[in-house]
């Protein structure tokens, strides 16, 4: 009976060790997964910040260009009479719209 008891103890020890190693592997795998997700999250946050900055710049540029267009429309003879542009544009009307 002593031999059988010793054999059972050995099996328990081996089973505990096997479970301990499996649990350790599982924790390591979970940690790696969490680290990878965190890195992806950080990367997406940086990209998001960059895109928001770019959207802000483009919005400012659009506002500026809209103002420039409004100012130009007030003085552009081609826009006052679209037939000038559709038919045969007059060189003097066209020249006044071109940058100097």
């Amino acid at each position: 009976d002593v031999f059988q008891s010793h054999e059972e103890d050995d099996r328990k020890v081996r089973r505990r060790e096997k479970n301990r190693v499996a649990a350790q592997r599982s924790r390591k795998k979970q940690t790696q997964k969490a680290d990878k997700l965190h890195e992806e999250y950080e990367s997406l946050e940086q990209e998001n910040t960059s895109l928001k900055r770019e959207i802000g710049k483009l919005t400012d540029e659009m506002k500026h260009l809209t103002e420039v267009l409004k100012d130009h429309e007030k003085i552009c003879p081609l826009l006052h009479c679209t037939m000038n542009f559709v038919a045969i544009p007059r060189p003097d009307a066209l020249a006044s719209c071109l940058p100097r």
Side-chain angles (χ1 to χ4, degrees):
D1 274 350
V2 174
F3 179 73
Q4 213 174 17
S5 169
H6 182 66
E7 206 173 283
E8 277 182 35
D9 288 347
D10 269 359
R11 260 185 276 148
K12 282 181 185 177
V13 167
R14 281 196 304 270
R15 192 170 59 239
R16 279 194 198 118
E17 179 63 16
K18 192 176 171 184
N19 287 345
R20 188 187 67 75
V21 170
Q24 192 175 29
R25 251 196 320 261
S26 177
R27 282 192 302 272
K28 185 177 179 181
K29 200 173 176 181
Q30 288 298 319
T31 301
Q32 287 172 338
K33 216 186 259 186
D35 287 348
K36 187 177 178 187
L37 283 172
H38 184 70
E39 284 174 21
E40 286 177 26
Y41 170 80
E42 289 293 324
S43 175
L44 287 170
E45 280 294 311
Q46 287 176 0
E47 188 179 351
N48 191 32
T49 300
S50 174
L51 289 170
K52 282 181 179 179
R53 231 182 275 124
E54 188 177 347
I55 288 169
K57 286 177 185 175
L58 290 171
T59 301
D60 289 346
E61 184 181 359
M62 185 179 73
K63 285 177 187 172
H64 170 72
L65 291 174
T66 300
E67 289 301 312
V68 169
L69 178 61
K70 281 180 188 174
D71 291 344
H72 179 74
E73 284 173 343
K74 292 173 190 172
I75 59 166
C76 183
L78 290 180
L79 294 172
H80 294 304
C81 179
T82 54
M83 289 306 292
N84 284 341
F85 188 77
V86 175
I88 302 165
R90 296 191 330 266
D92 59 326
L94 198 55
S96 69
C97 286
L98 298 176
R100 292 170 190 173

